[in-house]
Amino acid sequence: MALRIGSKSAREWWREYRGTTFFLFGMLMFRSAWADWVTVPTGSMNPTIIEGDRVLVDKHVYGLRLPWTLVRLTDGRDPQRGEIVVFDSPVDGISLVKRVIGVPGDTIALDEAGLVINGAHARYEGGDVALLNGLLAQTQARQPMVFREEGVVPAHDILRMPFGSPHELMRPIVVPEGMYFMLGDNRDNSADSRYIGFVPRRNIVGRASRVAMSFDPEHYYEPRGRRFFEPLDR
């Protein structure tokens, strides 16, 4: 007896839909191995990435991977200090978006003056306060401050809260071989390497390059047209 799907036999169904099936399978492989986008639900990367952003991830930059696995088919290049990356948390496997602060061999610390890499302090100045207007109302209510961080990393904006965080200070630590140290741009509200530890190279999925789309969760997910295709390195 021929297997039937609804009123069609399996063979008839395959003849009719095999093109669509191959297309969908190929698209899933492309998104798994080459490029994809992720939805950012938290404010850990404010003010660079805000809640509701769909961030484009270039997965091939750090080497092609066998689809749906951590097995790399090509080496690619290593992540660079200052790049924003997507990685699988070494604690629970959840996908996270953070900034690379320490590469293998770096000595990282946080003191009263801020970030320290290999004995050199980052420089700080007032950031673009206009970025505060794009944050969620509940974040703005906490009276955050924007600073421009540069010197030991490529220049970028970070967010600080008046009350600080329990991990505001950190003694010097050395990043082991094959590992990376990640920080969120929202320094006082980010579950990053201060909490989850170093991130193995193999867990890094790809580089976050730009905002593909953005939808405002505070206004019924209304599109934020001004953020569409906005680059993250600015």
Side-chain angles (χ1 to χ4, degrees), residues 78-82 100-108 117-118 174-181:
D78 289 327
Q80 303 297 306
R81 193 185 299 124
V100 177
I101 294 297
V103 301
D106 281 347
T107 299
I108 309 295
I117 301 180
N118 298 326
V174 178
V175 183
E177 188 65 30
M179 298 287 187
Y180 291 81
F181 188 88

Side-chain angles (χ1 to χ4, degrees), residues 28 35 42 46 52 69 86 98 102 106 128 152 202 210 229 234:
L28 290 173
T42 72
N46 290 166
T69 75
V86 174
K98 308 292 179 187
D106 281 347
D128 183 2
V152 294
R202 70 191 302 267
R210 65 178 60 243
F229 310 114
R234 60 184 190 278

Side-chain angles (χ1 to χ4, degrees), residues 4-169:
R4 304 194 68 82
I5 302 175
S7 60
K8 299 178 184 291
S9 70
R11 182 173 298 178
E12 290 171 332
W13 185 94
W14 175 247
R15 280 200 301 264
E16 185 171 347
Y17 293 106
R18 62 185 175 185
T20 301
T21 302
F22 282 133
F23 172 79
L24 293 175
F25 182 73
M27 180 62 69
L28 290 173
M29 289 188 64
F30 177 84
R31 291 186 60 180
S32 176
W34 188 265
D36 199 0
W37 64 80
V38 296
T39 300
V40 180
T42 72
S44 68
M45 281 297 291
N46 290 166
T48 309
I49 302 173
I50 61 179
E51 295 90 329
D53 284 350
R54 270 66 166 172
V55 176
L56 182 65
V57 183
D58 298 325
K59 294 186 174 182
H60 61 283
V61 173
Y62 305 135
L64 287 176
R65 300 201 305 185
L66 194 65
W68 307 294
T69 75
L70 294 179
V71 178
R72 295 192 181 276
L73 301 176
T74 62
D75 291 334
R77 67 169 178 82
D78 289 327
Q80 303 297 306
R81 193 185 299 124
E83 292 181 334
I84 300 174
V85 300
V86 174
F87 60 92
D88 298 330
S89 170
V91 174
D92 53 19
I94 293 176
S95 291
L96 300 176
V97 183
K98 308 292 179 187
R99 190 179 297 271
V100 177
I101 294 297
V103 301
D106 281 347
T107 299
I108 309 295
L110 292 166
D111 63 15
E112 293 81 357
L115 177 64
V116 186
I117 301 180
N118 298 326
H121 281 81
R123 299 191 304 272
Y124 296 92
E125 60 183 21
D128 183 2
V129 294
L131 295 174
L132 296 175
N133 297 328
L135 304 180
L136 296 189
Q138 61 182 357
T139 302
Q140 294 186 47
R142 297 162 73 183
Q143 299 181 320
M145 299 168 287
V146 178
F147 293 95
R148 193 73 171 168
E149 183 177 74
E150 59 185 328
V152 294
V153 289
H156 62 278
D157 290 297
I158 66 169
L159 203 69
R160 296 303 310 267
M161 299 295 176
F163 52 79
S165 75
H167 291 264
E168 184 175 1
L169 304 180

